[in-house]
Amino acid sequence: MAVKFPHAGKSYTLTMDNGLLVKNSYHAEDEIITVEFLSGDLDGTVMNVPFQWRALADGSFLISWQESDNNTVVHCDNFDTGRSYAYYTTMGGDFYIMEGQIV
């Protein structure tokens, strides 16, 4: 039996250092994340996509997904300390490195 993501059924708002504000909601039953952009170029966009995760030794989680527009996202999130490190690659080849707060 697969281990369920420890934050399944919870939602978090991430405020990134580039001004991006995103709400990530992890579905309770399936490994699906709802990503809702609350600012920036994609403001108002909501995506439901599958995600993968790995627990790291320090209590952080490595979380990745491919958005419905085929952009890719990798997070290293520590929900206990409230820190997020994100790496975002667009289909056009743009690459963004962000750091932020998880609430």
Side-chain angles (χ1 to χ4, degrees):
M1 175 180 247
V3 175
K4 185 183 279 193
F5 183 58
H7 297 277
K10 298 178 183 176
S11 294
Y12 299 93
T13 300
L14 288 77
T15 304
M16 304 311 275
D17 59 357
N18 65 351
L20 183 64
L21 188 64
V22 178
K23 181 178 179 182
N24 288 344
S25 301
Y26 300 94
H27 291 216
E29 297 303 321
D30 299 315
E31 290 192 347
I32 302 288
I33 184 172
T34 297
V35 180
E36 181 179 356
F37 291 87
L38 304 174
S39 70
D41 293 343
L42 296 174
D43 186 14
T45 301
V46 178
M47 299 178 189
N48 293 294
V49 293
F51 73 97
Q52 295 182 338
W53 65 277
R54 293 269 191 266
L56 303 177
D58 68 348
S60 295
F61 292 87
L62 192 59
I63 306 165
S64 63
W65 64 88
Q66 185 173 36
E67 296 181 337
S68 55
D69 57 7
N70 292 326
N71 295 331
T72 59
V73 181
V74 177
H75 276 230
C76 183
D77 289 348
N78 189 308
F79 299 97
D80 294 331
T81 64
R83 296 305 304 159
S84 176
Y85 301 93
Y87 303 86
Y88 184 77
T89 304
T90 68
M91 287 301 296
D94 296 321
F95 180 65
Y96 300 92
I97 299 172
M98 298 169 277
E99 181 178 343
Q101 182 178 20
I102 304 169
V103 180

